[in-house]
Amino acid sequence: MKIFTDPQGRGFLRLDDNRQVVSFRVEEAHQRQGVGTALLKQAGPGPLRVELAHPNSPALHFYEKVGFVHDGESATGQLILKRDAALQIKS
């Protein structure tokens, strides 16, 4: 498990050993200010995967903006998104 934190305490990203997003939070007052993108940059290049509950359009918009693509649905109906190793974080 790896945890990445914002230096000002505005958010965190937690990945499991398979680079699956376990939890990702940015304080509401600091959303849309680059905090989430900076946390993903801390995680470094490489594949990442996340499952989103339907509908979670703000999170879906964010992940698509930073280069994640749709990769199907889980058995429980969660939307699966992935970022391949070759993709770089978009600003």
Side-chain angles (χ1 to χ4, degrees), residues 25-35:
R25 172 121 169 91
V26 174
E27 296 294 328
E28 191 171 346
H30 300 287
Q31 292 177 2
R32 295 180 180 84
Q33 297 176 13
V35 176

Side-chain angles (χ1 to χ4, degrees), residues 21 38 49 54 64 67:
V21 175
R49 175 183 152 104
H54 293 294
E64 289 173 336

Side-chain angles (χ1 to χ4, degrees), residues 1-58:
M1 184 82 55
K2 295 212 177 214
I3 300 173
F4 305 92
T5 58
D6 173 70
Q8 285 90 20
R10 300 172 294 181
F12 68 89
L13 168 64
R14 187 167 39 154
L15 302 176
D16 69 13
D17 293 335
N18 295 315
R19 295 185 53 84
Q20 166 104 10
V21 175
V22 175
S23 55
F24 191 7
R25 172 121 169 91
V26 174
E27 296 294 328
E28 191 171 346
H30 300 287
Q31 292 177 2
R32 295 180 180 84
Q33 297 176 13
V35 176
T37 302
L39 289 167
L40 285 174
K41 285 181 180 179
Q42 282 185 45
L48 292 174
R49 175 183 152 104
V50 65
E51 294 184 15
L52 294 178
H54 293 294
N56 188 342
S57 57

Side-chain angles (χ1 to χ4, degrees), residues 33-89:
Q33 297 176 13
V35 176
T37 302
L39 289 167
L40 285 174
K41 285 181 180 179
Q42 282 185 45
L48 292 174
R49 175 183 152 104
V50 65
E51 294 184 15
L52 294 178
H54 293 294
N56 188 342
S57 57
L60 177 59
H61 175 75
F62 168 76
Y63 283 112
E64 289 173 336
K65 179 182 156 201
V66 296
F68 282 73
V69 296
H70 296 251
D71 194 36
E73 284 191 11
S74 71
T76 59
Q78 303 259 346
L79 179 63
I80 299 171
L81 301 171
K82 69 176 183 174
R83 182 188 84 186
D84 289 328
L87 293 176
Q88 297 295 318
I89 298 289

